Amino acid sequence: MNSLTYFDYAATTPLRPEAMDAMIQALRHFGNPSSRYAYGREAAQSIKAHRETIARALGCTAGEIFFTSCGTEGDNWAIRKGVELGRRRGKHIITTAVEHAAVLETCRDLERQGYEVTCLSPDRSGRIRTEQLRAALRPDTVLVSMMLVNNETGVILPVADCVRAVKAFDPAIVFHCDAVQGFLKLPDSPASTGADLITVSGHKVGGPKGVGALYIKKGTRLAPLLTGGGQEEGLRSGTEATAQIAGFAAACLSTMADNSRLERTQAIKNYTLERLKEAVPHLEILSAGDAPHICAVTLPGYPSEVLVRVLGDQGVCISSGSACHKGKPSHVFAAMGLPKAWLSGALRLSFSPDSTREEADRLVEALRQASQSIFPTMS
Ligand code: PLP
């Protein structure tokens, strides 16, 4: 990665070399998987193998995997078409205030179309409790959408427990889980949560951008979001992105083969947090994160956008929250009810198993220096 010191793996990850090789090969073999001649059938065979790989990574069967263009598409599809499955029972949706914009904005859009949305609020540490969800369930609830790992705090949400609570209340309620940040980052597979619909994305796991998958549990009769030529068993039309899918599967395969990845990621995160606490005056840990790869810290009162820019100018890449915020204050940290000064200086750090102590030391030193050259704008 040249001279970059990269601690923004929750925003995106570098393409794994195995993924690059698989993509180049797939680009050379340009056949359309829907074509009947051998060249097309070969492409279809490759997709079949890649679907099996993604299914293994998700903990499900190949027939439950449908390729999409990204995590955002998976979230839109699951929620927009998931609510239709309960059309006759009601128009109530439950989600959480810490979801990614792909979920929250979709729910807001449905609100404009007459749905009622209950947003569960996190506590000061970013946690949501099953009890909160249980209390929000109603006879007209049709869909629950809850993420597996929060992309800004690294907090793990109690999805498996919530699925049990929801299904005990009414098995017809559709449970969607945005597992974009939990996929291949936790010891358990996303499908083991029992959710009906699960979204994952390629570029968070060493695959390319522009590909994802939606897990549709066997028996869930989800309608397509994209209609057309009838690819993906008629559920997701559009010519399959053969190279993207090949890269996604290769990235999953090589990630799964790295058995110590979670421990190494956790160890480098722990080291970085320890060093930051020692070296950077006033720094507070906003969330140590349950998932191994994400945490958040704050320099209370400092403008995080300026800190991010100053570090960026030195080739040190971190973020002030989700990469999709584009400078707006994080809705996740705001929902946690943190003091204004803590919100202002909030920074997200995210790690890979291959992040090194040398890189961590560079980050710590850059943040220490920046905190001395920039002044807090609020107390
Ligand atoms: N959900 C979560 C939790 C994310 O972190 C992201 C990306 O940052 C997305 C959804 C959207 O995924 P994509 O970038 O593939 O559209």
Side-chain angles (χ1 to χ4, degrees), residues 120-195:
L120 307 177
S121 296
D123 64 13
R124 292 269 294 222
S125 58
R127 287 179 199 291
I128 304 276
R129 286 171 299 106
T130 309
E131 258 327 297
Q132 289 174 269
L133 173 62
R134 222 179 251 125
L137 287 166
R138 305 191 326 208
D140 62 341
T141 305
V142 291
L143 179 128
V144 174
S145 185
M146 179 180 279
M147 70 197 327
L148 188 52
V149 171
N150 183 266
N151 49 309
E152 298 187 44
T153 59
V155 164
I156 299 176
L157 280 77
V159 174
D161 216 31
C162 285
V163 171
R164 277 192 292 274
V166 165
K167 296 295 174 182
F169 182 83
D170 182 352
I173 298 174
V174 174
F175 201 112
H176 166 244
C177 174
D178 174 341
V180 168
Q181 295 289 354
F183 183 47
L184 294 175
K185 316 277 182 181
L186 301 178
D188 294 331
S189 72
S192 68
T193 58

Side-chain angles (χ1 to χ4, degrees), residues 10-11 70-72 75 100 102 147 149 151 178 180-181 201 203-204 324:
C70 58
T72 300
D75 285 345
H100 189 270
M147 70 197 327
V149 171
N151 49 309
D178 174 341
V180 168
Q181 295 289 354
S201 174
H203 73 106
K204 310 288 185 181
C324 309

Side-chain angles (χ1 to χ4, degrees), residues 82-150:
V83 293
E84 288 182 5
L85 289 169
R87 198 187 281 124
R88 287 203 199 86
R89 288 187 303 105
K91 289 195 153 193
H92 180 229
I93 301 169
I94 304 175
T95 188
T96 83
V98 300
E99 299 297 312
H100 189 270
V103 167
L104 286 179
E105 290 304 320
T106 304
C107 288
R108 264 180 213 132
D109 192 36
L110 288 173
E111 221 167 19
R112 286 189 285 272
Q113 296 172 34
Y115 283 85
E116 200 186 327
V117 180
T118 300
C119 240
L120 307 177
S121 296
D123 64 13
R124 292 269 294 222
S125 58
R127 287 179 199 291
I128 304 276
R129 286 171 299 106
T130 309
E131 258 327 297
Q132 289 174 269
L133 173 62
R134 222 179 251 125
L137 287 166
R138 305 191 326 208
D140 62 341
T141 305
V142 291
L143 179 128
V144 174
S145 185
M146 179 180 279
M147 70 197 327
L148 188 52
V149 171
N150 183 266

Side-chain angles (χ1 to χ4, degrees), residues 364-375:
V364 171
E365 185 51 22
L367 202 51
R368 190 187 67 77
Q369 283 182 16
S371 72
Q372 287 174 348
S373 64
I374 298 165
F375 295 101

